[in-house]
Amino acid sequence: MSFRTVVLGPKVYETAAEFDPIRWLDKALISLCSRFGDFQKDSPPTFSLSARLSIFPQFMFHLRRSQFVQVFNNSPDETAYFRLILNRENVTNSVVMIQPSLISYSFHARPEPALLDVAAIAADRILLLDSYFTVVIFHGATIAQWRKAGYHNQPEHLAFAQLLQAPHDDADAIVKDRFSVPRLVICDQHGSQARFLLAKLNPSATYNSDAPLSGGDVLFTDDVSFEVFMDHLQRLAVQ
């Protein structure tokens, strides 16, 4: 039987070739929740975690979907590079690699953090995604139409010009201070480059689920959402 080295976080595991990192992560998470969760046996609705651990399953959900575990569509060299950078960087940068930050810009509020969910997409909103290796500026459908019409070049629409410029200024600051330099992607809703954002979002609305809110979006994926992931985790943890 052939063997290979699998790198996950700070530890190196020498295992058989058929090692499945996703299954290993799932078993470790179920074991942790069974040990530290508060629940009544065989009753998933009673399951809960302490405040210190409450967001850990969400972090693991994004780790399972990250380029460190999912090697599809990445060359072996790319996968090795991603894992090398993960082990080299500090905790703050490593967290951003696994669970990217998402900032929302709109006329109605100051820039604010948004949930890493497809529900964050809106026609009148701009999103700034920082996944460490890629920085994405995503324009909602209405914002993109106004920009293409040139409204930001008209003096009476100064507020719109400022709204368009704000995420670019923040993205430039991120790119300037980071090494290696991340890829900057500027895209519009329903455009081909929007995939760089959509691939990182929780697929709470997909092609086979309920319709999204007006102006929102859906993900064409068979990946389970975080809500489904948590339902299965709770059911297995209380057994």
Side-chain angles (χ1 to χ4, degrees):
M1 179 181 293
S2 61
F3 288 80
R4 65 186 175 120
T5 300
V6 179
V7 180
L8 285 176
K11 295 184 179 180
V12 179
Y13 297 86
E14 195 76 22
T15 62
E18 61 269 14
F19 175 78
D20 186 347
I22 295 181
R23 175 167 296 194
W24 182 87
L25 287 172
D26 288 344
K27 288 183 177 179
L29 180 60
I30 293 170
S31 176
L32 181 144
C33 291
S34 297
R35 178 173 299 182
F36 296 102
D38 183 16
F39 58 87
Q40 297 178 7
K41 186 173 177 58
D42 296 327
S43 180
T46 64
F47 178 85
S48 64
L49 288 170
S50 67
R52 294 183 178 182
L53 288 174
S54 60
I55 65 173
F56 186 71
Q58 176 180 314
F59 184 78
M60 294 295 290
F61 171 78
H62 289 291
L63 175 61
R64 294 172 79 258
R65 304 177 74 234
S66 71
Q67 64 269 38
F68 306 112
V69 177
Q70 297 285 353
V71 298
F72 177 76
N73 208 31
N74 291 325
S75 69
D77 287 345
E78 288 175 317
T79 299
Y81 169 74
F82 293 142
R83 292 175 178 176
L84 174 66
I85 299 298
L86 176 66
N87 288 326
R88 187 192 72 179
E89 287 296 333
N90 57 36
V91 172
T92 300
N93 288 336
S94 298
V95 169
V96 173
M97 296 178 199
I98 296 173
Q99 185 170 324
S101 66
L102 188 65
I103 305 297
S104 171
Y105 302 78
S106 69
F107 288 110
H108 313 296
R110 298 175 61 85
E112 58 184 2
L115 290 176
L116 200 62
D117 192 287
V118 67
I121 296 176
D124 60 348
R125 183 181 299 175
I126 302 175
L127 298 176
L128 174 62
L129 176 82
D130 179 13
S131 63
Y132 190 85
F133 300 105
T134 306
V135 176
V136 182
I137 300 176
F138 177 92
H139 303 97
T142 301
I143 297 291
Q145 291 175 357
W146 291 348
R147 188 197 71 239
K148 293 174 182 177
Y151 290 169
H152 57 292
N153 296 321
Q154 301 175 10
E156 60 270 26
H157 295 297
L158 178 60
F160 180 55
Q162 293 173 340
L163 176 64
L164 284 179
Q165 187 60 38
H168 285 267
D169 292 340
D170 292 342
D172 289 343
I174 294 172
V175 172
K176 180 179 179 180
D177 295 337
R178 183 167 296 163
F179 183 82
S180 57
V181 178
R183 178 178 183 176
L184 178 61
V185 177
I186 302 174
C187 59
D188 299 333
Q189 187 177 2
H190 309 309
S192 62
Q193 299 295 299
R195 67 184 185 276
F196 288 96
L197 171 71
L198 300 179
K200 297 296 184 180
L201 300 181
N202 171 37
S204 59
T206 65
Y207 66 94
N208 59 1
S209 64
D210 295 337
L213 298 175
S214 177
D217 213 332
V218 297
L219 298 184
F220 291 89
T221 178
D222 291 325
D223 290 347
V224 300
S225 66
F226 176 66
E227 292 74 16
V228 175
F229 175 79
M230 279 301 299
D231 288 342
H232 285 281
L233 175 61
Q234 292 173 1
R235 180 167 50 83
L236 294 171
V238 302
Q239 291 180 354

